[in-house]
Amino acid sequence: MLLSELSGVGRDPAGGVTRFAWAAAELELRSWFSARAASLRLDVETDGNGNLWAWWGGSLPGTAFVVGSHLDSVRSGGEWDGPLGLVSAFAAVSSLRDSGWTPTRPLAIVAFAEEEGGRFGLACLGSRLLTGAVEPAHALGLVDDSGVTLAAAMTAAGHDPSGVGADPARLAKIDAFVELHIEQGRMPLPDGARGLAGAGRPVGVAREIWPHGRWRIDLAGVPDHAGTTALADRVDPVLAMAEGIVEVRRAASELGILGTVGRVRVMPGAVNAIASSASLWVDARGQDPDRVHELVTLVERRLGVAAALESWTDVTRFDAALTADVAAAIGGEVPSLPSGAGHDAGVLSLAGIPTAMLFVRNPTGVSHSPEEHAEEADAVAGVAALTAVIRRMAS
Ligand code: GLV
Ligand code: MN
Ligand code: MN
């Protein structure tokens, strides 16, 4: 099975995997990446932002064709989101090597750091830093749930944080990037079918990524005793938080977009005390960026508080010529899906690098969940597709 060598890493008792950037499970996967690359005689390097690169023919003339994805996961997520792209890339390189093929220009496999933002809150952090979409000082000061900064987490993992920041020389070396990823959701196709399952196809390409953002809303309360404070005398931020959660859902439904609160924090978190503060995080996405912003404005107005933007990614349209090349490599006509999920491919695309994506069928569409799944035969079809793409793009 394609993913079996990684399956146990960061496994939760409840069945999912938790692999946060720069923490033990992700470091184990980084070691796996380096060992797998070495076994294929690829040259491994870590860039200043902690992204891992495995090069084949790194000193060949010309600009590079790059494939890859990420190793980290959301908390209690599935094992396919991210690693499938890397395991498939190594499998593709292995079969190309075995066939006697060699690239005529540099070829790289990249694992971007902290794609999910699961630990430090800012999704696609490694690719955003690389492209200069986020300021190094801001990134290094981000903290995890235990108050550990990104700078401290990198240092503890043996990575020098002083190299964090935009890397235009590295970007200039990349001619094109293709990310293979498990399909997420059952997105509509132009003919009305839903997802690759509806289309009856194991592999598709991505058309665009919907604009999406994350916001934090902080609500202040007056801490007091749960058994001695009359209801009328309370300033309880948890009530406002609950209203906020309901308003996010209501506004999303009014606007016909997606709005989610998947994370809240109540301080200090005592059963028998009125909270001193409460925070909720809003994830909003949809086809139309104006509506996404409108959701946040509506929630702010209804709650009477401001939301702090933590990240924003504009609508991302994948490169038509590269996508046509990808489709041609895998047999011509392929289903083309929009993505409601963000990807490093989107961040590189917004930085002007031609990018495309391959999706491998996920029968239920469930993702960011232990139930995330692809059939082995479809994963193998994904490897074959990526192999054909590499052969076409780097011959
Ligand atoms: C990344 O998976 C996202 O949350 O879009
Ligand atoms: Mn992913
Ligand atoms: Mn994800």
Side-chain angles (χ1 to χ4, degrees):
M1 301 284 273
L2 206 57
L3 285 185
S4 54
E5 57 187 312
L6 308 182
S7 261
V9 180
R11 182 67 62 185
D12 299 329
V17 295
T18 299
R19 299 163 171 172
F20 281 173
W22 304 108
E26 197 244 13
L27 293 176
E28 197 177 332
L29 291 183
R30 285 172 171 268
S31 300
W32 164 82
F33 180 101
S34 299
R36 187 81 181 91
S39 76
L40 292 167
R41 287 174 284 133
L42 307 179
D43 301 318
V44 178
E45 58 165 342
T46 307
D47 70 19
N49 295 305
N51 306 311
L52 284 168
W53 301 77
W55 290 95
W56 187 0
S59 55
L60 287 169
T63 47
F65 180 60
V66 182
V67 296
S69 194
H70 59 97
L71 294 166
D72 64 306
S73 77
V74 296
R75 188 187 297 281
S76 300
E79 62 180 319
W80 301 80
D81 177 353
L84 180 63
L86 295 164
V87 168
S88 301
F90 285 122
V93 163
S94 175
S95 78
L96 286 165
R97 263 219 194 275
D98 288 349
S99 73
W101 179 89
T102 53
T104 58
R105 61 162 162 161
L107 174 67
I109 300 173
V110 61
F112 287 109
E114 177 73 326
E115 190 270 355
E116 300 287 5
R119 180 165 181 190
F120 295 102
L122 186 46
C124 298
L125 189 51
S127 55
R128 281 189 213 266
L129 282 165
L130 169 70
T131 62
V134 55
E135 284 301 316
H138 173 69
L140 290 171
L142 291 170
V143 288
D144 69 9
D145 283 351
S146 309
V148 176
T149 62
L150 173 65
M154 282 180 161
T155 304
H159 181 78
D160 178 2
S162 67
V164 160
D167 191 347
R170 182 172 297 273
L171 277 184
K173 274 201 271 182
I174 306 173
D175 176 56
F177 175 65
V178 174
E179 179 168 359
L180 177 147
H181 204 278
I182 187 162
E183 179 186 20
Q184 298 168 290
R186 295 186 61 186
M187 303 298 276
L189 286 153
D191 67 0
R194 289 191 57 214
L196 295 172
R201 301 282 292 272
V203 173
V205 292
R207 188 165 60 243
E208 63 181 15
I209 298 180
W210 287 352
H212 55 283
R214 296 180 185 187
W215 289 260
R216 193 188 72 247
I217 297 177
D218 294 322
L219 301 152
V222 176
D224 211 329
H225 195 295
T228 62
T229 318
L231 295 180
D233 293 342
R234 297 180 181 201
V235 181
D236 186 346
V238 175
L239 287 183
M241 185 187 83
E243 280 165 22
I245 294 167
V246 172
E247 287 303 342
V248 168
R249 175 60 180 251
R250 184 172 292 142
S253 154
E254 285 166 11
L255 292 161
I257 61 169
L258 300 175
T260 305
V261 178
R263 173 175 163 82
V264 297
R265 185 172 60 204
V266 176
M267 298 300 287
V271 175
N272 53 353
I274 298 156
S276 56
S277 70
S279 303
L280 62 129
W281 278 261
V282 181
D283 179 306
R285 313 181 188 217
Q287 241 170 323
D288 175 357
D290 292 342
R291 287 182 186 224
V292 178
H293 288 297
E294 176 67 11
L295 178 145
V296 180
T297 308
L298 276 178
V299 172
E300 285 179 325
R301 196 179 308 140
R302 289 172 184 175
L303 286 187
V305 292
L309 178 68
E310 292 202 334
S311 68
W312 171 252
T313 306
D314 225 331
V315 61
T316 310
R317 297 208 168 77
F318 289 106
D319 189 82
L322 178 63
T323 301
D325 264 322
V326 167
I330 61 176
E333 191 277 317
V334 273
S336 171
L337 298 155
S339 172
H343 299 285
D344 296 305
V347 172
L348 294 196
S349 177
L350 288 171
I353 293 178
T355 60
M357 290 191 73
L358 281 167
F359 286 136
V360 172
R361 174 166 53 193
N362 174 344
T364 61
V366 172
S367 185
H368 285 183
S369 152
E371 301 305 316
E372 184 180 82
H373 180 71
E375 295 298 330
E376 184 68 6
D378 291 353
V380 169
V383 173
L386 191 60
T387 308
V389 169
I390 294 173
R391 193 185 274 279
R392 180 181 177 102
M393 297 303 298
S395 286

